[in-house]
Amino acid sequence: MSFESENAETEKLQLDAFLPFELAVIANRVSQMIGNLIYTKFDLQVPDWRILVTLDRYGPLPPNEVADRTAMDKARVSRAQRRLSDLKLVSIADDPVDGRRKVLSLEELGVRVCRELVPSALERERQLLECLSPAEEVALRAILAKMHLHTEDVVATED
């Protein structure tokens, strides 16, 4: 690693205009909005909620697929799955296809929590998007979808 001399002019990062920083700040604020909702109503944390709604959407999944779909690290998924199992929201069973791995499934209580939680989460999303026109929302969703695919490719090439 080399450092320029003290006299050399170096470019300073404009943090407020640095896209990764802006996205992180917005993502943290949105997570806090959802986190406050799910903690207040259900005493759950954001990783718990992400796992529940992922299983609700896609059905039973191995923990590594939950991690991939939620972009959470495997350790965080592991801690949350144990907590959700203890709360009787998720079951952990041997995979019938590959006995070496486990599969997470929603329990009946987990399904009920999702049915109660999802409308509130969608209302938070509506509140978040109310500052945009319908055309801006369509554009934002298209841009996010494009960036989502691109970041998957970038991460895959870095691995």
Side-chain angles (χ1 to χ4, degrees), residues 27-42 44-46 49-50 53 117-118 120-125 128:
N28 286 338
R29 288 179 181 159
V30 171
S31 285
Q32 286 174 345
M33 285 173 58
I34 296 295
N36 291 340
L37 167 73
I38 62 174
Y39 184 76
T40 301
K41 281 187 131 178
F42 301 99
L44 296 173
Q45 299 171 5
V46 171
W49 174 77
R50 288 179 182 166
V53 296
L117 179 60
V118 167
S120 298
L122 290 172
E123 174 58 22
R124 294 289 177 157
E125 178 189 48
L128 178 67

Side-chain angles (χ1 to χ4, degrees), residues 8-107:
E9 192 167 319
T10 60
E11 184 177 2
K12 301 238 180 193
L13 182 64
Q14 297 288 328
L15 198 55
D16 304 17
F18 185 56
L19 184 62
F21 178 79
E22 288 181 286
L23 291 173
V25 168
I26 292 168
N28 286 338
R29 288 179 181 159
V30 171
S31 285
Q32 286 174 345
M33 285 173 58
I34 296 295
N36 291 340
L37 167 73
I38 62 174
Y39 184 76
T40 301
K41 281 187 131 178
F42 301 99
D43 198 26
L44 296 173
Q45 299 171 5
V46 171
D48 304 332
W49 174 77
R50 288 179 182 166
I51 291 172
L52 289 175
V53 296
T54 299
L55 295 175
D56 188 45
R57 168 70 174 89
Y58 296 104
L61 292 171
N64 64 318
E65 286 187 40
V66 171
D68 290 344
R69 290 184 185 274
T70 60
M72 291 193 301
D73 63 70
K74 291 175 184 168
R76 179 174 277 183
V77 170
S78 179
R79 287 189 301 272
Q81 81 185 28
R82 284 193 301 272
R83 185 171 44 254
L84 292 169
S85 177
D86 291 345
L87 294 169
K88 307 292 189 237
L89 298 171
V90 167
S91 64
I92 305 169
D94 290 333
D95 185 336
V97 177
D98 182 351
R100 296 170 297 172
R101 68 181 189 174
K102 300 292 183 189
V103 174
L104 307 180
S105 303
L106 282 181
E107 292 281 356

